[in-house]
Amino acid sequence: MEDVIREVMEGINAISKERGRVIDFKELLYGYYRVNPRLGVDYILDLLLVYKKYRGRKMIFPVRRHAYLQQAFGPLQLRRSPLVAHESSNRIHFVLPLSGRLAIFQRFMNNFQRVCVEPDENVRLVIVLYPTMENEDPSDEIKSIVLAFQRRIRGRKLQVELIERQEAFARAAALETGKSSCQLEDDCLLAFIDVDMVFTEKTLHHIRSHTIRGRQVYFPIVFSQFDPSFRAPLTYSVDSEIAVDVFEIDDDRGYWRFYGFGIVSVYRSDLERVGGMNTSIHGWGQEDVDLYDRTVAHADLAVFRAPDPALVHVFHPIACDGSKLTDKQKKMCIGTRAGTYASQQRLARYWIDNHSYAGE
């Protein structure tokens, strides 16, 4: 800011001798600035100046002026980036917390079959299964699906494992359990995933490329679908198959989850450096924000954020049970549920189509 103000004053006083006056900077009262990645930095500065006239009738008085400035970036330059050492075939250890949701799990495994099993990717899927605490608990069906997968992939480098827990579901505890399933001497590449996600082989490349041991943690920005019933007259239904258009990205189908941090890839050693998962958090949400905040605050780790069109959160209804959530968790849950109804344009059209106005 001092450099900007100095350049401004030099420009103002460039012809001060010809005009017989000089203007001195006294103080910056307030200002605004914004960065445009394509153009530069824009400034609006409220400056208190001192006008000094030394030719003819001499006078000195304060002047307050607004300065509108743009500090332009230089021309774009391309340079070769140093290669980051990472193995293109480095094993990815997916950790999937799960409680119930049989059809959704079947859809996830269908996607996992296509992306990881058929090309025989070097991945390991750890499913941490919790009971639903309800009469019709589908845990036995889920275990049957996992057992069938294990039989099909026997003798291959790809692995699918199941860890059963007998307490109430807690995502942070499930992720910590999945992390601990790695051998202690194996600084494994962890990828925390949700059962509502579908992805492509590009996601595997992004995880391996953007997660750097001891330097960088990858928090991808996922595309989250809106309620499909706003786009079609059909009501929502759970389908174990993957929709053909699931990876079509536009503003009417969903939104980028810029404030969602639940999907993350990190090396085990780096997760332990920031203190691991906070297992005191139970219920919906907040454990991902807690991990993100601690990672951002760590002096030696950078956070990499980027939209991933190959990583889609498929819509599902959100239930915010106030009896099981803290006030902060409930507020976050209700906000997320409100954001998944539809786009602003679609909601406006819905309002116009379903409300009549007086005199019409």
Side-chain angles (χ1 to χ4, degrees):
M1 189 62 68
E2 291 176 353
D3 293 340
V4 170
I5 293 174
R6 183 170 57 252
E7 288 195 32
V8 170
M9 298 311 300
E10 288 176 356
I12 291 175
N13 291 313
I15 53 174
S16 60
K17 290 184 179 180
E18 291 85 341
R19 295 187 175 181
R21 58 98 175 121
V22 66
I23 299 176
D24 293 334
F25 170 75
K26 188 165 182 64
E27 67 174 305
L28 173 65
L29 299 178
Y30 68 88
Y32 304 93
Y33 75 92
R34 65 180 178 186
V35 178
N36 185 321
R38 295 187 302 110
L39 302 175
V41 187
D42 297 328
Y43 296 91
I44 301 176
L45 304 179
D46 190 351
L47 304 174
L48 180 60
L49 310 174
V50 177
Y51 180 92
K52 298 178 180 179
K53 184 178 180 183
Y54 54 82
R55 184 179 298 168
R57 183 183 175 185
K58 298 180 180 180
M59 60 181 70
I60 300 176
F61 56 88
V63 180
R64 184 176 176 181
R65 287 290 183 266
H66 276 174
Y68 299 85
L69 314 166
Q70 184 180 79
Q71 188 178 26
F73 290 145
L76 201 62
Q77 296 183 4
L78 300 180
R79 62 182 179 85
R80 189 177 296 277
S81 178
L83 294 176
V84 176
H86 70 271
E87 296 282 345
S88 60
S89 60
N90 198 1
R91 167 164 285 197
I92 299 173
H93 298 254
F94 284 104
V95 180
L96 175 66
L98 184 64
S99 178
R101 312 187 69 191
L102 177 61
I104 305 297
F105 175 67
Q106 183 65 67
R107 183 186 65 204
F108 179 90
M109 295 306 290
N110 289 343
N111 185 75
F112 186 77
Q113 166 79 23
R114 180 180 58 83
V115 176
C116 299
V117 178
E118 292 176 3
D120 198 20
E121 287 282 352
N122 187 17
V123 301
R124 172 174 171 261
L125 174 63
V126 180
I127 303 162
V128 185
L129 179 63
Y130 287 76
T132 61
M133 306 300 179
E134 298 174 358
N135 293 331
E136 298 182 0
D137 188 344
S139 294
D140 289 339
E141 291 89 338
I142 290 172
K143 286 187 280 188
S144 297
I145 294 173
V146 174
L147 182 60
F149 253 82
Q150 291 172 334
R151 288 170 179 166
R152 286 205 301 271
I153 64 175
R154 189 169 295 163
R156 302 167 67 174
K157 59 184 178 183
L158 183 141
Q159 296 179 357
V160 175
E161 299 178 20
L162 179 68
I163 301 175
E164 293 188 70
R165 303 295 298 266
Q166 297 304 321
E167 62 267 25
F169 177 81
R171 188 172 185 269
L175 298 177
E176 190 70 16
T177 299
K179 180 208 77 172
S180 301
S181 69
C182 290
Q183 296 296 326
L184 189 60
E185 64 275 7
D186 179 17
D187 190 9
C188 56
L189 173 56
L190 297 166
F192 296 157
I193 197 77
D194 284 343
V195 72
D196 300 299
M197 304 302 301
V198 293
F199 55 93
T200 72
E201 61 281 354
K202 291 182 180 179
T203 298
L204 306 182
H205 172 71
H206 295 159
I207 290 172
R208 291 178 173 122
S209 300
H210 301 326
T211 314
I212 307 172
R213 182 186 287 106
R215 291 174 52 189
Q216 185 167 283
V217 180
Y218 179 39
F219 285 85
I221 301 171
V222 306
F223 186 77
S224 189
Q225 289 184 338
F226 287 133
D227 186 344
S229 64
F230 273 92
R231 291 191 283 114
L234 302 175
T235 57
Y236 171 78
S237 63
V238 176
D239 192 348
S240 62
E241 297 300 320
I242 302 168
V244 176
D245 61 350
V246 69
F247 292 107
E248 291 187 15
I249 308 296
D250 61 51
D251 292 338
D252 201 39
R253 294 178 182 275
Y255 66 102
W256 292 105
R257 220 160 189 163
F258 290 105
Y259 299 103
F261 310 101
I263 311 302
V264 56
S265 63
V266 57
Y267 279 92
R268 173 174 174 158
S269 58
D270 293 331
L271 180 61
E272 292 175 344
R273 289 170 77 184
V274 299
M277 300 302 302
N278 185 351
T279 55
S280 66
I281 298 175
H282 299 278
W284 189 96
Q286 201 175 345
E287 83 290 329
D288 55 342
V289 178
D290 177 81
L291 175 62
Y292 180 78
D293 287 343
R294 284 184 284 119
T295 306
V296 169
H298 198 282
D300 299 327
L301 292 174
V303 166
F304 186 85
R305 295 274 284 162
D308 187 350
L311 194 56
V312 175
H313 180 275
V314 181
F315 173 82
H316 64 87
I318 299 175
C320 301
D321 187 349
S323 64
K324 298 179 181 179
L325 304 177
T326 65
D327 291 341
K328 186 174 182 180
Q329 286 176 311
K330 185 177 180 180
K331 184 177 180 181
M332 292 171 62
C333 182
I334 293 173
T336 299
R337 183 173 61 187
T340 60
Y341 288 139
S343 64
Q344 287 185 334
Q345 183 177 2
R346 179 70 64 173
L347 288 172
R349 175 52 56 190
Y350 180 83
W351 177 270
I352 292 170
D353 292 343
N354 291 274
H355 291 76
S356 59
Y357 296 90
E360 294 186 355

